[in-house]
């Protein structure tokens, strides 16, 4: 049984991600060529060390403190097995949609492919709507698996690039239209 709940700053601490397992082996990724994306072979490994886990915990704390949201997925013994976050800033043209920035979404390696990512995404969308956002902006690692997940959730390539929300130039920029009837 997995419990999904929004975390408050007081529930976050430097050891929050201490037992969180995350090693991402990327064998295929999207690379932008002109106006299109091409899938290319690669061999990359992204892994968190102890220092990165502490920095990420502190970052999540700042997200919650700045009016954003942090949602956690907890196993029955209370262990964090997934999380998603948004910052507290909305961006967009005065006459256009307001974008919230989905800053992170991760599921512990041992808990993947059990619907946790989908549940976290749905819950963070509710948080974004509560903050009056019309869309999510996602600066996503361009791995095939990551992009396939977001597309399966209904995301599309971003129509507007929110420069202050961009993590790296190598990311693929996506967006998700939040629905009025999400509650």
């Amino acid at each position: 049984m997995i419990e999904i709940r929004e975390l408050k700053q007081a529930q976050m601490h430097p050891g929050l991600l201490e037992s969180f397992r995350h090693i991402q082996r990327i064998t295929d990724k999207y690379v932008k060529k002109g106006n299109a994306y091409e899938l290319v072979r690669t061999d990359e490994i992204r892994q968190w060390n102890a220092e990165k886990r502490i920095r990420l915990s502190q970052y999540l704390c700042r997200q919650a403190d700045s009016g954003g949201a942090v949602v956690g997925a907890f196993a029955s013994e209370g262990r964090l097995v997934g999380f998603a976050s948004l910052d507290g800033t909305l961006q967009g043209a005065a006459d256009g949609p307001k974008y919230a920035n989905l800053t992170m979404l991760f599921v512990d390696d041992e808990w993947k492919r059990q619907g946790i990512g989908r549940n976290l995404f749905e819950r963070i969308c509710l948080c974004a709507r509560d903050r009056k956002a019309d869309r999510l902006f996602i600066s996503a690692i361009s791995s095939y698996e990551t992009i396939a997940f977001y597309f399966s959730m209904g995301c599309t390539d971003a129509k507007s690039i929110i420069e202050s929300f961009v993590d790296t130039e190598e990311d693929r920029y996506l967006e998700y239209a939040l629905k009025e009837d999400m509650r």
Side-chain angles (χ1 to χ4, degrees):
M1 183 76 157
I2 299 296
E3 178 190 7
I4 308 284
R5 67 175 186 265
E6 189 169 348
L7 298 174
K8 303 300 178 205
Q9 185 181 14
Q11 298 170 300
M12 291 180 262
H13 51 84
L16 180 68
L17 301 174
E18 187 174 65
S19 64
F20 198 91
R21 291 175 289 268
H22 176 68
I23 300 173
Q24 184 176 16
R25 180 175 204 114
I26 302 170
T27 58
D28 297 287
K29 71 178 184 179
Y30 289 98
V31 175
K32 189 152 190 169
K33 304 275 183 161
N35 290 330
Y37 286 94
E38 181 181 314
L39 193 60
V40 298
R41 300 288 294 164
T42 188
D43 187 18
E44 300 173 29
I45 295 179
R46 297 175 59 103
Q47 184 174 0
W48 298 347
N49 61 21
E51 182 181 312
K52 173 109 180 190
R53 291 171 203 283
I54 291 169
R55 279 197 328 267
L56 289 174
S57 297
Q58 292 167 337
Y59 179 76
L60 291 172
C61 194
R62 287 192 305 273
Q63 296 276 279
D65 191 41
S66 69
V70 178
V71 174
F74 294 87
S76 58
E77 73 278 4
R79 184 170 162 261
L80 182 71
V81 297
F83 63 94
S85 63
L86 347 142
D87 70 19
T89 306
L90 295 182
Q91 295 284 332
D95 60 344
K98 297 298 176 220
Y99 287 83
N101 186 14
L102 176 65
T103 55
M104 287 192 264
L105 192 154
F106 290 98
V107 175
D108 183 287
D109 292 343
E110 288 187 21
W111 291 83
K112 289 186 176 184
R113 305 214 181 278
Q114 298 182 42
I116 295 169
R118 174 175 295 279
N119 290 332
L120 287 167
F121 185 84
E122 290 170 353
R123 185 66 172 272
I124 208 73
C125 284
L126 291 173
C127 294
R129 281 301 297 163
D130 287 346
R131 286 157 178 80
K132 309 297 184 216
D134 303 303
R135 297 176 185 270
L136 283 183
F137 182 87
I138 306 153
S139 185
I141 292 169
S142 63
S143 76
Y144 174 79
E145 292 83 7
T146 299
I147 301 307
F149 166 77
Y150 284 120
F151 280 172
S152 76
M153 296 307 301
C155 296
T156 60
D157 284 312
K159 294 172 187 66
S160 297
I161 306 301
I162 311 297
E163 293 298 332
S164 62
F165 290 172
V166 169
D167 285 333
T168 73
E169 290 181 9
E170 295 173 2
D171 285 354
R172 187 159 176 177
Y173 313 130
L174 307 171
E175 67 177 57
Y176 179 79
L178 299 165
K179 298 163 187 68
E180 291 290 330
D181 61 351
M182 293 185 80
R183 292 180 174 62

